[in-house]
Amino acid sequence: MESAKQETAQTVSDEEIITRVMNGEKSAYELIMRKYNQRLFRIVRSYLADEDEIEDVIQEAYIKAYEQLPRFERRSLFSTWLIRIAMNEALARVKHRKRFAPAVPDSPDDSTLIHGQQPEPQANETPIGTLMNAELKDILERAVDRLPE
């Protein structure tokens, strides 16, 4: 049987990978990680801004999914299950941060924002400046998404 390094994540189904991991071929789990890394990064980034924290959340999601793999009931796609684990971990981080955040923040910090929330505009910010910043953010995120793993 080919090793996980010789196969690509796209050539093997999730079902096959899960079966192999459950049968003791732990190295096959690397294929799952390669297959979903970029998607998880994008999803978690919508909740958190800090790169290190995003990576921590993704790593924790992979660990939790691996540990709970025997409990995966296959009622949904594996990707759906894994994404839900990552989202729950990201939301827990946001909730924890909010719980211990100072009552009055010194400045708007987009690392504390949750999905869909916008910072309060600064007194000296103009609507055009706000729009330009939002467009720049979108351009930068798309550029990061195009970078190779």
Side-chain angles (χ1 to χ4, degrees):
M1 192 172 265
E2 291 180 297
S3 73
K5 291 179 180 153
Q6 293 172 335
E7 297 171 312
T8 66
Q10 306 309 320
T11 61
V12 184
S13 73
D14 291 352
E15 287 291 324
E16 183 180 339
I17 297 169
I18 292 167
T19 301
R20 287 168 50 184
V21 171
M22 298 290 284
N23 289 334
E25 190 182 336
K26 294 178 171 125
S27 63
Y29 196 69
E30 179 184 348
L31 293 171
I32 290 288
M33 295 170 68
R34 290 185 186 280
K35 190 172 191 175
Y36 294 109
N37 220 33
Q38 189 173 35
R39 187 185 305 178
L40 288 182
F41 183 86
R42 288 178 181 158
I43 291 167
V44 173
R45 186 178 64 197
S46 71
Y47 294 93
L48 304 167
D50 180 74
E51 288 261 340
D52 291 333
E53 193 168 20
I54 292 169
E55 290 176 11
D56 288 346
V57 166
I58 293 170
Q59 182 176 6
E60 190 64 32
Y62 283 131
I63 291 169
K64 285 183 179 182
Y66 180 82
E67 291 172 345
Q68 298 299 318
L69 204 52
R71 296 178 67 197
F72 175 56
E73 297 176 357
R74 300 171 194 221
R75 289 185 296 178
S76 64
L77 294 173
F78 177 78
S79 60
T80 304
W81 186 68
L82 178 63
I83 288 167
R84 190 72 218 160
I85 292 171
M87 287 172 57
N88 287 341
E89 184 65 25
L91 288 169
R93 297 271 178 125
V94 169
K95 184 178 179 181
H96 182 265
R97 184 183 302 129
K98 278 186 161 187
R99 188 174 188 193
F100 295 103
V104 180
D106 295 333
S107 65
D109 176 12
D110 66 353
S111 68
T112 62
L113 297 178
I114 58 173
H115 183 66
Q117 201 175 21
Q118 295 296 320
E120 292 293 323
Q122 297 283 333
N124 59 355
E125 251 186 285
T126 63
I128 192 73
T130 303
L131 178 64
M132 289 175 61
N133 283 338
E135 287 181 18
L136 179 59
K137 179 180 179 250
D138 289 341
I139 291 167
L140 290 172
E141 285 179 354
R142 284 192 301 262
V144 168
D145 290 344
R146 287 191 303 266
L147 292 173
E149 284 186 45

